[in-house]
Amino acid sequence: MRRILLTAVMCSLFAMPLLAQRAFLDHITAEAGAGFSFPAGGVANRTNTGFMFMASGGPRFNRHFTLSLDFSLHYLGLEDSFVVPETGAEISPGSELRVWTLTVNPGYEFIKQERFSAYATGGFGLYNRRLLITTPGLVPAAVCDDFWNVCVTNQPDLSASGHGNLYKGGYNVGGGVTFGARTKFFVEARYHHMLVTNPTTNLIPLTFGVRW
């Protein structure tokens, strides 16, 4: 009888941390993913479709409502930028537009089943837009691009002046669907708008990833 009681106590002691861990995991949410980033607004005229990745995490208040801190990073190739007026040559092949975002996003799962859910999300936070400029050779003089409001020169060293690195507020809205039980695969689309007008910077990422 004592052995049975001792075994029961030992099993309870081992089970308690597992139950506490499960209860803790039921009250947090996290996800990570990657995908494609489609330019919209003003930047659509001078950038190509790029790639992105994102990660987020935060508390889960109940079965439907979450609050997360979201980080996303986007890279899009530049096109038709920094053209030498005398020759018409583009000096920036391989250059990119990089945008990162850090936002606080509430989310709501309006359809929640055992292996399928659909959710909506949106939030506001800090956005950074930066031109990553490369040149294959010497820049004959300062070459400026009025669209980006940036000038490039390599005399004496490659440098850029103007608004090539901006920090502004911004917001995003979107939604997605998940498949699976505890570890879920998700597909999500969002609309990002950075509060800047030179040029307007909007992105529409399509993300594939894993959610817990």
Side-chain angles (χ1 to χ4, degrees):
M1 185 68 179
R2 289 181 179 179
R3 290 182 179 180
I4 295 175
L5 290 175
L6 181 60
T7 301
V9 170
M10 294 296 293
C11 291
S12 299
L13 290 175
F14 281 109
M16 288 175 62
L18 295 176
L19 291 174
Q21 182 182 26
R22 182 172 180 177
F24 174 75
L25 293 176
D26 287 340
H27 289 85
I28 64 170
T29 182
E31 64 181 28
F36 305 99
S37 193
F38 302 94
V43 296
N45 298 322
R46 293 291 187 91
T47 58
N48 300 312
T49 298
F51 64 93
M52 55 78 63
F53 77 87
M54 62 83 66
S56 70
R60 176 180 294 279
F61 298 103
N62 54 46
R63 294 183 68 250
H64 296 279
F65 184 65
T66 61
L67 183 67
S68 63
L69 182 65
D70 290 17
F71 174 80
S72 69
L73 184 62
H74 310 255
Y75 286 93
L76 302 94
L78 296 186
E79 63 176 14
D80 300 327
S81 298
F82 302 101
V83 176
V84 180
E86 293 79 9
T87 63
E90 185 179 356
I91 69 165
S92 59
S95 297
E96 294 179 309
L97 173 68
R98 187 195 70 187
V99 177
W100 62 253
T101 75
L102 185 64
T103 60
V104 176
N105 278 56
Y108 185 78
E109 291 182 285
F110 53 89
I111 298 176
K112 189 172 180 64
Q113 301 176 359
E114 183 178 359
R115 293 186 174 275
F116 173 81
S117 66
Y119 62 92
T121 185
F124 184 86
L126 179 65
Y127 282 62
N128 171 257
R129 187 189 76 192
R130 184 176 182 180
L131 298 180
L132 304 178
I133 301 171
T134 61
T135 61
L138 295 177
V139 179
V143 178
C144 299
D145 191 304
D146 293 335
F147 181 83
W148 299 107
N149 195 18
V150 170
C151 294
V152 178
T153 180
N154 65 355
Q155 298 175 358
D157 299 312
L158 178 65
S159 60
S161 60
H163 295 86
N165 189 21
L166 289 175
Y167 292 87
K168 294 287 184 178
Y171 64 86
N172 69 88
V173 293
V177 293
T178 68
F179 306 91
R182 195 145 190 92
T183 300
K184 301 178 180 181
F185 297 95
F186 73 87
V187 181
E188 177 187 281
R190 294 196 195 188
Y191 171 82
H192 286 269
H193 177 75
M194 184 178 179
L195 299 176
V196 62
T197 58
N198 58 333
T200 55
T201 302
N202 305 326
L203 301 173
I204 304 176
L206 178 63
T207 311
F208 306 87
V210 179
R211 168 181 279 203
W212 296 271

